[in-house]
Amino acid sequence: MFEIAALKHQYQHQEVLNIPEWKVSKADACLLLGNSGSGKTTLLHILAGIRVPSSGKVWVNHTLLSELSEAKRDQFRAKNIGLIFQKPHLIASLNVSQNLVLAQYLAGIPQDKKLCQRILEDLGLGDKPKAYPHQLSQGQLQRVSVARAVLNQPALLIADEPTASLDDESAAQVIQLLKAQAQKWEATLLIATHDQRVKQHFTHIKNLNHTFSDESTQS
């Protein structure tokens, strides 16, 4: 569902990414490990079309991102990529339902409040559509972020450090939730983290700490 070829990225002439090749198929679940400063977030931003690499090619859902203008990349991302961050980025002045409907609007697809409600119910938030972000617990906010990310049935679901501030039990719950939602919507799942606890939930693992390498039997 995404493919990388000869990817390199630099900041002020210092190389921060060098990935010869990487291909992940539809509906696979993959873990990207790396310490702070290893380039994880930069790579996620490149895969999401937020940042353009210094060189190389990136395909997502059979689309070569470098052939799209910035506006087209924004539109492509809204329709094809679901993003989940460690801290939920919800609009404080909108309730939960409105935050979800806004995601549909930005993707240019019909606004479907019934679908929003079904997804909230699936995530145990069926009674929270009219709640505002400040009225929710951290765990509930994370689930709203998941709901928003899967709402448009993305081909690629990306999570950046989703467990960093969670205890062991909550971290395991979030990982299982992400895997279950990705499987339900047949999305490719990529989680980037420095949290070693997450390794036990994956068989497809890449490590960015030194060289881009496998920690698993899958490639």
Side-chain angles (χ1 to χ4, degrees):
M1 188 47 60
F2 71 80
E3 184 174 357
I4 291 172
L7 175 68
K8 293 185 178 182
H9 194 66
Q10 297 178 336
Y11 287 124
Q12 298 179 343
H13 306 294
Q14 181 179 357
E15 186 176 89
V16 294
L17 284 176
N18 186 343
I19 302 176
E21 61 178 7
W22 190 21
K23 185 176 182 178
V24 178
S25 301
K26 179 180 179 180
D28 276 356
C30 184
L31 179 65
L32 180 66
L33 284 175
N35 297 331
S36 297
S38 61
K40 300 187 306 298
T41 297
T42 298
L43 178 55
L44 297 189
H45 286 180
I46 289 172
L47 280 169
I50 297 171
R51 187 183 299 276
V52 178
S54 301
S55 62
K57 295 182 177 181
V58 177
W59 293 265
V60 175
N61 202 16
H62 311 295
T63 297
L64 181 59
L65 298 185
S66 60
E67 291 186 343
L68 302 178
S69 66
E70 183 176 355
K72 289 292 187 181
R73 288 200 309 273
D74 290 343
Q75 186 179 38
F76 178 84
R77 179 170 56 254
K79 290 184 177 180
N80 293 275
I81 301 172
L83 296 170
I84 302 164
F85 301 98
Q86 180 182 350
K87 295 182 179 180
H89 294 277
L90 302 174
I91 297 178
S93 60
L94 300 181
N95 64 33
V96 169
S97 179
Q98 291 167 339
N99 268 283
L100 296 185
V101 169
L102 178 62
Q104 294 176 320
Y105 170 78
L106 293 175
I109 64 177
Q111 297 170 44
D112 188 342
K113 291 184 178 180
K114 290 183 178 180
L115 175 60
C116 294
Q117 182 62 27
R118 287 202 300 271
I119 292 176
L120 288 175
E121 290 173 356
D122 189 39
L123 295 174
L125 296 170
D127 61 339
K128 299 297 183 181
K130 296 187 181 300
Y132 287 84
H134 73 274
Q135 298 174 316
L136 301 177
S137 69
Q138 190 62 34
Q140 290 170 332
L141 288 170
Q142 186 75 297
R143 287 173 180 262
V144 175
S145 295
V146 173
R148 184 179 58 182
V150 302
L151 180 60
N152 297 335
Q153 300 181 33
L156 176 60
L157 189 59
I158 294 174
D160 189 7
E161 298 285 6
T163 64
S165 60
L166 302 177
D167 59 36
D168 290 352
E169 182 178 357
S170 297
Q173 289 175 349
V174 166
I175 295 303
Q176 292 304 323
L177 178 65
L178 288 171
K179 292 180 71 174
Q181 288 298 309
Q183 185 177 28
K184 178 176 181 177
W185 298 102
E186 297 185 336
T188 299
L189 174 64
L190 175 61
I191 294 178
T193 186
H194 68 272
D195 188 349
Q196 295 290 323
R197 298 174 300 175
V198 182
K199 289 174 63 174
Q200 62 181 307
H201 300 282
F202 289 85
T203 56
H204 187 171
I205 303 172
K206 288 285 189 177
N207 196 315
L208 262 181
N209 281 330
H210 300 292
T211 58
F212 189 68
S213 59
D214 281 309
E215 285 199 9
S216 57
T217 56
Q218 297 185 32
S219 59

